[in-house]
């Protein structure tokens, strides 16, 4: 087994180096494709706003015109979902190829992602189902917080902090689900036949290393303009390291301190946003 790098910044740098050394076409795809999708989404949003404004100025709002507007809106939403799902497939395919030091063209990446489109959708739906109870509980706590802000001071003082703490814990559980199964789609492109097997493999691979996964994903996502490349390349190196270590049944090194600091900062920032939200509710109550 090669040297296991635990510093998430070094992991990302090594991933970018490997991408440009052995997977140049995929590296370029990971830089250009997110920008192209951003432009398409922006144009689509501008078109939707313009269409909505034109309808609002029309004096005779016939049912046919409104029906056309609804159909176009639904088609735009479905197209956006389709492109995002397909993009996650291309990204996972690129992650696998970069981890192996292989390259591929955009057409091949698109073909592979499109051929597994329904499995990709199933993975997204499974993650949605796994996190749905936690998401519903968080929504309920948000509603409760709004009610408490408008209630008496005793309920606000006692119950609101409990709601914030419970909400934070639930958000952590949601993140935990996504981190645990972050390599499920990668395994799907690695020959795994069923989504259940892919989820189980990802769960075993990330066991005890969730902070490491979170550190690489978070730091990689913070790099401006090329975040898709840095995050995907970093996760590719992490996937390779963990796979080699698990296959060799080697003892994994201690996780780098940055892998603990990054989650702590992230959740402190989340708590800060929650406090701002509560303060705004209190001022408007």
């Amino acid at each position: 087994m090669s040297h296991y790098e635990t510093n998430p910044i070094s992991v990302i740098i090594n991933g970018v180096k490997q991408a440009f050394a052995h997977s140049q076409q995929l590296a370029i795809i990971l830089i250009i494709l997110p920008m192209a999708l951003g432009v398409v989404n922006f144009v689509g949003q501008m078109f939707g706003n313009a269409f909505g404004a034109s309808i609002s100025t029309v004096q005779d709002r016939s049912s046919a015109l409104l029906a056309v507007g609804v159909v176009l809106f639904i088609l735009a939403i479905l197209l956006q979902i389709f492109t995002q799902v397909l993009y996650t497939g291309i990204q996972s395919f690129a992650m696998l190829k970069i981890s192996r030091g292989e390259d591929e063209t955009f057409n091949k990446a698109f073909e592979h992602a499109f051929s597994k489109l329904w499995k990709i959708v199933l993975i997204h739906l499974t993650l949605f189902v796994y996190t749905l109870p936690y998401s519903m509980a968080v929504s309920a706590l948000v509603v409760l917080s709004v009610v408490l802000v408008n209630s008496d001071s005793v309920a606000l003082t006692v119950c609101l902090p409990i709601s914030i703490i419970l909400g934070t814990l639930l958000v952590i559980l949601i993140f935990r689900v996504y981190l645990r199964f972050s390599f499920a789609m990668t395994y799907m492109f690695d020959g795994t036949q069923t989504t259940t097997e892919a989820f189980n493999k990802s769960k075993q691979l990330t066991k005890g290393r969730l902070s490491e996964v979170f550190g690489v994903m978070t730091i990689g996502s913070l790099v401006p303009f090329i975040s898709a490349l840095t995050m995907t390349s970093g996760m590719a190196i992490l996937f390779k390291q963990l796979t080699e270590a698990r296959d060799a049944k080697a003892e994994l090194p201690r996780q780098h301190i940055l892998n603990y600091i990054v989650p702590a900062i992230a959740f402190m920032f989340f708590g800060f946003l929650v406090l701002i939200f509560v303060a705004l509710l209190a001022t408007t109550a």
Side-chain angles (χ1 to χ4, degrees), residues 253-270:
R254 292 182 60 182
Q255 298 188 54
H256 196 275
I257 189 171
L258 280 176
N259 292 315
Y260 297 103
I261 293 176
V262 170
I265 294 175
F267 288 117
M268 287 175 61
F269 180 72
F270 172 76

Side-chain angles (χ1 to χ4, degrees), residues 59-172:
Q59 297 296 327
D60 182 18
R61 299 178 187 176
S62 63
S63 57
L65 181 62
L66 293 176
V68 170
V70 171
V71 170
L72 289 176
F73 176 77
I74 294 175
L75 288 176
I77 295 297
L78 292 176
L79 180 60
Q80 188 173 13
I81 294 174
F82 171 77
T83 54
Q84 290 299 325
V85 168
L86 196 62
Y87 169 70
T88 58
I90 293 174
Q91 195 173 22
S92 297
F93 176 79
M95 185 189 302
L96 178 65
K97 288 295 183 179
I98 293 172
S99 70
R100 295 175 174 177
E102 300 173 356
D103 202 6
E104 200 59 87
T105 63
F106 174 76
N107 289 339
K108 287 293 183 181
F110 180 87
E111 288 176 9
H112 280 277
F114 190 77
S115 66
K116 296 184 182 296
L117 182 64
W118 292 114
K119 289 185 177 181
I120 298 172
V121 171
L122 185 57
I123 287 176
H124 283 289
L125 288 176
T126 304
L127 287 172
F128 173 76
V129 171
Y130 280 160
T131 57
L132 182 60
Y134 306 127
S135 301
M136 293 179 65
V138 170
S139 301
L141 288 172
V142 170
V143 173
L144 178 61
S145 299
V146 174
V147 173
L148 290 174
V149 166
N150 294 286
S151 63
D152 58 275
S153 58
V154 175
L156 182 64
T157 304
V158 177
C159 298
L160 188 59
I162 297 176
S163 298
I164 293 175
I165 294 172
L166 289 176
T168 303
L169 291 175
L170 289 169
V171 170
I172 292 174

Side-chain angles (χ1 to χ4, degrees), residues 109-244:
F110 180 87
E111 288 176 9
H112 280 277
F114 190 77
S115 66
K116 296 184 182 296
L117 182 64
W118 292 114
K119 289 185 177 181
I120 298 172
V121 171
L122 185 57
I123 287 176
H124 283 289
L125 288 176
T126 304
L127 287 172
F128 173 76
V129 171
Y130 280 160
T131 57
L132 182 60
Y134 306 127
S135 301
M136 293 179 65
V138 170
S139 301
L141 288 172
V142 170
V143 173
L144 178 61
S145 299
V146 174
V147 173
L148 290 174
V149 166
N150 294 286
S151 63
D152 58 275
S153 58
V154 175
L156 182 64
T157 304
V158 177
C159 298
L160 188 59
I162 297 176
S163 298
I164 293 175
I165 294 172
L166 289 176
T168 303
L169 291 175
L170 289 169
V171 170
I172 292 174
L173 290 175
I174 293 174
F175 273 105
R176 188 171 182 268
V177 171
Y178 281 100
L179 294 174
R180 176 182 287 183
F181 302 125
S182 55
F183 294 113
M185 205 174 299
T186 308
Y187 275 116
M188 189 63 65
F189 287 99
D190 196 26
T192 302
Q193 297 299 317
T194 65
T195 54
T196 301
E197 185 182 358
F199 275 102
N200 288 335
K201 285 185 176 181
S202 181
K203 180 180 177 181
Q204 291 298 320
L205 189 70
T206 59
K207 185 178 181 181
R209 313 297 290 190
L210 295 184
S211 295
E212 191 171 20
V213 176
F214 188 85
V216 173
M217 289 182 68
T218 305
I219 295 176
S221 300
L222 293 176
V223 180
F225 305 114
I226 58 169
S227 58
L229 172 64
T230 52
M231 192 272 287
T232 305
S233 301
M235 290 293 285
I237 295 298
L238 184 59
F239 178 76
K240 179 182 178 181
Q241 290 186 157
L242 287 173
T243 301
E244 291 178 349

